[in-house]
Amino acid sequence: IIFVYREGKQLMASPLEYLLEVWNWVELLVIVAGFSTLGVYFQTQSVIDQVSEGSDHGLFSAYRRAANWAEVYTYVTAALICCVTLKLVRLLRFNKVVQVLFITISTSFKPLSGFMMMAGVVMMAFTQMGSLLFGSNLGTYSNIGSSLASISLMTIGSFDTEELTEVSWLYGPIFFFLFQVTMQFFLMTMFMAILMDTYADVDGNTDVQKLRM
C-alpha cells in the first residue's frame, strides 16, 4: 500500500515526467501484476474450493475452469516475478558499467530504430519469398504467419536445410544461402557496429557525474 501511495503521489505531481521515465513503467507494471496476481489467486482458490466440495454439478467443466484459472495464475505470477527481477537491475545503477550499458541502450535507440525498420523490411521480403517458393509443399511456409515464424527461427540458428532441398534442389539452397548472408553477415554486423560505436562513445566519457540512468 505504501509503495502504491508513493508511486501514485509521484505520478500526480508530475505525470509527464513520470511517464517519460522507463523505470517508472516497470514500477507500474509491478503494481498491476501484483494486484492481478492477488485477484487471480483468490479467484483460483474459490474455484478450486467449489470443485473440492462438489458443489458444482458440471464436474468436468468445473475441473476445466479450475485448470484454466490455475494456468492464468501461473502467467500473472511469472509476469510479476519478471518485473520484480528487472527492478534488481536498477539497484545496480551505482555501478559505472551498468550505467554505461543503459546509456548505450538509450543513446542507440534512434539509430537502432531505423535499422530495425530496414531489418523488418528484409525479413518480410524473405518471408514472402519463402511462402511463395515452399508454401505449397511445406507446412512451415504455408502462410505468411508460419513463414515468418520459420524465418525468425532460422535467424537464431534453428533451421532444417534438408526439407528446403527436398522441395527444390536449386531454390532451397539459394534461399538459405541468401538469407544467411543477408541476416548474419550484413544486418547482424551492422547491428553490432551501431552498438559498439555507441558504447565506445559513452564509455569514453570519463565524467562519472554525467552518467545517469
Side-chain angles (χ1 to χ4, degrees):
I1 297 177
I2 298 176
F3 174 70
V4 175
Y5 172 77
R6 186 193 67 181
E7 295 300 321
K9 185 178 179 180
Q10 293 179 0
L11 177 61
M12 297 302 296
S14 54
L16 184 59
E17 295 180 359
Y18 182 88
L19 295 177
L20 289 177
E21 177 64 37
V22 176
W23 287 111
N24 291 334
W25 284 96
V26 177
E27 303 286 0
L28 293 177
L29 286 176
V30 170
I31 295 174
V32 173
F35 281 106
S36 300
T37 303
L38 284 176
V40 173
Y41 171 78
F42 288 118
Q43 176 64 22
T44 303
Q45 287 299 117
S46 175
V47 173
I48 292 177
D49 291 341
Q50 292 178 5
V51 173
S52 60
E53 292 174 1
S55 58
D56 199 329
H57 298 290
L59 193 58
F60 176 77
S61 61
Y63 275 112
R64 185 174 182 178
R65 188 169 67 253
N68 289 337
W69 276 108
E71 187 175 4
V72 173
Y73 176 71
T74 302
Y75 293 153
V76 295
T77 304
L80 176 61
I81 294 175
C82 178
C83 295
V84 173
T85 305
L86 286 176
K87 288 183 61 177
L88 297 178
V89 179
R90 191 179 185 183
L91 299 178
L92 300 176
R93 61 184 181 271
F94 60 86
N95 186 285
K96 181 182 177 181
V97 176
V98 177
Q99 289 180 333
V100 170
L101 174 63
F102 281 101
I103 295 176
T104 300
I105 295 175
S106 60
T107 306
S108 61
F109 178 78
K110 186 176 180 178
L112 283 180
S113 299
F115 169 80
M116 293 305 294
M117 291 180 61
M118 182 184 66
V121 172
V122 174
M123 286 284 291
M124 288 305 301
F126 278 99
T127 297
Q128 297 178 26
M129 182 179 177
S131 180
L132 292 173
L133 290 177
F134 314 110
S136 58
N137 300 99
L138 297 177
T140 52
Y141 294 90
S142 58
N143 52 59
I144 296 298
S146 59
S147 181
L148 179 60
S150 300
I151 292 297
S152 301
L153 290 174
M154 192 181 296
T155 304
I156 60 176
S158 177
F159 50 82
D160 186 1
T161 56
E162 292 184 0
E163 66 177 7
L164 299 179
T165 307
E166 289 176 358
V167 174
S168 174
W169 64 270
L170 178 61
Y171 296 121
I174 291 177
F175 173 80
F176 177 77
F177 176 77
L178 289 177
F179 179 78
Q180 291 296 328
V181 169
T182 304
M183 294 300 298
Q184 303 296 336
F185 291 97
F186 292 134
L187 294 183
M188 291 301 295
T189 302
M190 292 175 61
F191 177 79
M192 294 302 300
I194 293 173
L195 286 181
M196 293 303 296
D197 288 344
T198 307
Y199 180 84
D201 293 339
V202 173
D203 192 46
N205 184 7
T206 57
D207 189 359
V208 181
Q209 298 299 325
K210 292 183 179 180
L211 296 176
R212 293 288 186 268
M213 291 296 291

